[in-house]
Amino acid sequence: MSEKAIKPSLKNPFDSKEAVEFNIPGEIAGKAGGYEAAMQEGHALTERPIKSVSVAQVEKQHFKKRMTVWERIKVLTDQEPNVLFQNWGKNLDGASLVTGILNIGGRDVALYGHDFTVRAGSIDATNGNKLARLFQMAGEKGIPLIGMNDSAGAFVPAGVGGLDGYAEAFTALRKISGVVPSIMCMFGFNAGGGSYLPRQGSFLIQPNDTFFGLTGPGVVKSVLGEDITPEELGGPKVHGASGVVDVTVADEVAALRTAVRLLSYLPDNNSMMAPFQTTSDPLDRKTWEINTLLKKAFNSPTGFNTPFDVSIVIQQICDHGDYFEIQPERAREAVTAFGRLGGNVVGFVANNSAVASGQIDCDSAMKIARFVRFCNIYNIPLIFMEDTTGFLPGREQEARGIVQAGRSMLDSIIDVRTPRILLILRNAFGGAYASYNNYPTGADLVLALPTTRLAVMGPAGKEFVYKDELRKLRGSIAARVKQGVKERTSAGMEGEEAKKDAEKEAAEWLKLEEAALNLRYEKELMNPKEGLALGSISSIVMPTDLRKVLGENMNFFLRHYKPSPMQSIQREFH
């Protein structure tokens, strides 16, 4: 047995060395000269980005369960990439970043990816300029952008050049924001500028076992003396809950495939509609599952106060039940998602009563505001589904700025120019109704299910509507207790026991009377009748007809909508 250690290699020992000739086919080769030498050198330069990296560096990347930038490109598309700006300076300036154009599903997509096998994917002045030029070209040509981030940040030996490179890229990416959509994937361990740059994108996808943040755990330890793991500091669970990341996935392949799927719902630029996709799902398909869901919920012991997951409603309305949720791990009181209805891409914004009664808090308000603004910029129509008891009250929410967050949500809805429909599923109370895409805030159409409870307040509103009756009922308690004690003592019950029993009976009587008033309030005021009479609601829709009614109305609005960049005044707060 050999005592020499065998070093793993990616090289095929049976593969014959490819000889590259630069002769015209069929030509009798003559004496080679300067031309052939120039061709040989040019060929070596074109191959250098891939072949100059040592096998050890590739193995190191694989050992960390990461792909190389070239392997990631192959996951995105089976077409050969058109690589741009292949600059490799004598000190590898610019080499740690790959930029190019891909064909994904027949669409041109601008792409950049850090090559971690070269200088740990760091940024210097050369590739910062290269990145900026790619962004500018994407904006000028009106094509979307995908970024594959795997960088240690600025290249320290480059000095201020690395910082200038990042500043140039930051500026260029900001200038195409709102012109073309961008999807960023986070791979590896990123810090500083490597975190800020991708978050400038429209959407951010992060797999497990990756990190990005302002600083790494080592800096936190040296500055604050705090021991913390990369996962706890900047892993997908942290960023998914905060809203810094829009989608978290299992691994790199899932991130890249998710990026391709998300891209299918996005337009190339702000002058176009998102891609139409012919569907075999009939627009007049009955949505019986929605009827079953609501029937089981509202016929349960808790009645119309029973929560349900609004995702099921969205699923049943969309073509073949397929939709793409944005920020699914954050602020579940609201669901924001892309879906298709009759082949057209639609943005869904829905209150989710399954979480905290669908109450709107700071996180869900900002989640809604950001999604609505994106759809507004990129000509994506919106369907709002309302089922909320209002904004979440309390000291914590006020301290976090619920007034400003709620205002941001309202502002984003008022500014919408794309076709938009409001569907009231159940609860629509107070300020939440007033700020949730009704006719006064600009809705094109307001529909309601028969289960709608539209009112200034929820059941607590009985305290104002029936205050005289309640005052009379509560004022009669003392007399009822006194009469009850008298009846019980005359029947032989002892004084203290008689009083307790009489108070209990009076309390139960009051509870029943208040419950009757609650029911009366719901029947008289918490229903769609007044809204229908005043024109706040256009019509009542049966649950089984939701797909048909929403789809036909949306088709009508889209036939009369011309996609274009936003032309209106940009308001101060966003």
Side-chain angles (χ1 to χ4, degrees):
M1 181 182 289
S2 172
E3 296 181 359
K4 188 177 179 182
I6 300 173
K7 186 178 179 182
S9 172
L10 296 179
K11 186 177 178 181
N12 182 357
F14 301 105
D15 191 18
S16 58
K17 189 174 181 181
E18 182 184 0
V20 180
E21 299 289 342
F22 301 102
N23 296 321
I24 298 170
E27 180 186 44
I28 299 173
K31 186 179 178 181
Y35 175 79
E36 283 79 9
M39 291 301 101
Q40 188 69 51
E41 189 174 349
H43 177 72
L45 283 171
T46 61
E47 294 290 304
R48 188 176 182 189
I50 300 173
K51 293 191 174 179
S52 66
V53 175
S54 68
V55 170
Q57 287 295 98
V58 175
E59 288 176 336
K60 200 179 292 184
Q61 189 78 341
H62 288 170
F63 180 76
K64 292 182 285 191
K65 297 183 179 179
R66 299 176 196 163
M67 290 185 282
T68 66
V69 65
W70 307 103
E71 290 166 337
R72 289 166 182 161
I73 289 173
K74 287 181 180 178
V75 176
L76 287 173
T77 180
D78 56 0
Q79 304 290 320
E80 280 295 313
N82 177 17
V83 179
L84 306 175
F85 314 128
Q86 283 190 6
N87 49 325
W88 276 61
K90 63 177 182 178
N91 294 319
L92 302 185
D93 298 337
S96 56
L97 189 80
V98 176
T99 56
I101 304 298
L102 297 187
N103 183 294
I104 300 178
R107 300 167 68 183
D108 286 331
V109 179
L111 171 108
Y112 77 85
H114 295 275
D115 188 349
F116 201 83
T117 63
V118 179
R119 283 186 177 175
S122 57
I123 291 283
D124 55 37
T126 305
N127 51 24
N129 174 262
K130 177 162 69 170
L131 198 51
R133 284 158 66 187
L134 179 78
F135 296 157
Q136 289 161 6
M137 185 175 65
E140 289 168 2
K141 306 303 180 189
I143 60 174
L145 170 74
I146 290 180
M148 303 187 299
N149 299 275
D150 188 0
S151 170
F155 185 52
V156 177
V160 73
L163 302 179
D164 283 343
Y166 263 125
E168 194 171 356
F170 290 156
T171 304
L173 185 53
R174 177 61 182 173
K175 286 183 177 179
I176 66 167
S177 175
V179 178
V180 294
S182 53
I183 303 170
M184 303 295 186
C185 297
M186 299 304 299
F187 301 132
F189 191 101
N190 304 264
S195 301
Y196 286 127
L197 182 73
R199 187 51 280 179
Q200 278 185 282
S202 308
F203 299 102
L204 193 54
I205 302 169
Q206 184 180 13
N208 291 337
D209 301 319
T210 60
F211 166 88
F212 74 93
L214 175 64
T215 59
V219 176
V220 173
K221 172 69 174 175
S222 63
V223 175
L224 301 176
E226 181 182 352
D227 283 312
I228 191 166
T229 65
E231 175 67 28
E232 294 168 335
L233 185 61
K237 288 183 180 178
V238 174
H239 292 315
S242 69
V244 172
V245 163
D246 296 291
V247 184
T248 62
V249 293
D251 54 34
E252 289 191 6
V253 173
L256 295 165
R257 288 179 176 167
T258 299
V260 172
R261 182 170 169 238
L262 176 55
L263 181 67
S264 71
Y265 290 99
L266 309 182
D268 284 348
N269 55 65
N270 63 2
S271 298
M272 302 173 64
M273 299 294 292
F276 177 85
Q277 195 173 90
T278 305
T279 178
S280 59
D281 192 355
L283 198 60
D284 60 356
R285 167 173 55 81
K286 291 284 187 180
T287 48
W288 288 108
E289 290 82 357
I290 297 176
N291 189 73
T292 302
L293 170 70
L294 299 180
K295 184 177 181 180
K296 285 189 174 182
F298 298 153
N299 284 346
S300 68
T302 48
F304 276 65
N305 295 318
T306 307
F308 62 86
D309 190 346
V310 77
S311 299
I312 300 171
V313 178
I314 296 173
Q315 181 200 49
Q316 292 304 314
I317 290 171
C318 288
D319 295 349
H320 298 293
D322 188 36
Y323 66 95
F324 190 104
E325 189 172 351
I326 301 298
Q327 296 191 2
E329 296 180 9
R330 179 198 184 206
R332 291 291 301 166
E333 305 87 6
V335 173
T336 53
F338 294 115
R340 278 190 171 83
L341 184 53
N344 293 306
V345 173
V346 176
F348 289 92
V349 179
N351 301 125
N352 186 19
S353 64
V355 179
S357 301
Q359 288 182 307
I360 301 169
D361 63 7
C362 290
D363 291 332
S364 53
M366 296 307 295
K367 175 179 173 178
I368 290 170
R370 185 163 161 237
F371 182 78
V372 169
R373 286 201 177 281
F374 179 87
C375 292
N376 192 28
I377 289 169
Y378 290 105
N379 303 294
I380 298 173
L382 286 155
I383 293 177
F384 290 81
M385 296 182 180
E386 185 163 13
D387 182 15
T388 179
T389 54
F391 287 95
L392 181 62
R395 179 189 297 178
E396 181 195 359
Q397 290 298 308
E398 294 294 350
R400 291 185 59 198
I402 185 66
V403 173
Q404 181 59 51
R407 183 71 229 186
S408 295
M409 184 190 81
L410 173 57
D411 288 345
S412 70
I413 293 171
I414 290 173
D415 290 345
V416 171
R417 69 203 169 102
T418 61
R420 46 174 159 154
I421 297 173
L422 170 62
L423 171 65
I424 305 176
L425 299 173
R426 173 176 45 180
N427 296 327
F429 298 155
Y433 163 76
S435 60
Y436 203 76
N437 191 48
N438 45 38
Y439 278 128
T441 56
D444 292 305
L445 181 66
V446 177
L447 305 170
L449 293 182
T451 51
T452 289
R453 305 198 296 179
L454 176 58
V456 175
M457 291 185 71
K462 73 179 187 300
E463 299 287 342
F464 300 92
V465 178
Y466 309 123
K467 62 180 179 182
D468 292 336
E469 292 175 57
L470 282 167
R471 190 182 297 119
K472 187 177 178 182
L473 286 171
R474 289 162 182 167
S476 67
I477 289 293
R480 289 187 70 87
V481 171
K482 187 177 180 182
Q483 180 63 30
V485 170
K486 186 178 178 181
E487 290 173 358
R488 284 163 176 73
T489 50
S490 64
M493 191 177 287
E494 298 214 6
E496 191 61 34
E497 188 180 352
K499 184 181 178 184
K500 284 183 179 180
D501 196 52
E503 286 174 346
K504 182 181 177 183
E505 183 187 53
E508 289 174 353
W509 171 82
L510 180 62
K511 187 177 178 180
L512 289 171
E513 291 296 318
E514 288 187 352
L517 280 179
N518 271 345
L519 194 60
R520 181 178 157 194
Y521 178 75
E522 288 186 19
K523 287 185 176 180
E524 291 181 357
L525 293 171
M526 286 175 62
N527 57 60
K529 294 176 186 175
E530 186 180 8
L532 201 61
L534 292 173
S536 301
I537 296 170
S538 284
S539 59
I540 301 295
V541 184
M542 303 306 288
T544 52
D545 297 327
L546 276 179
R547 175 174 163 84
K548 179 177 183 289
V549 174
L550 289 171
E552 288 179 350
N553 280 289
M554 187 57 77
N555 281 345
F556 166 71
F557 293 132
L558 286 173
R559 283 197 298 271
H560 299 276
Y561 176 76
K562 294 181 180 178
S564 65
M566 290 184 69
Q567 302 294 326
S568 61
I569 296 169
Q570 296 300 299
R571 307 296 174 189
E572 294 175 17
F573 291 102
H574 292 85

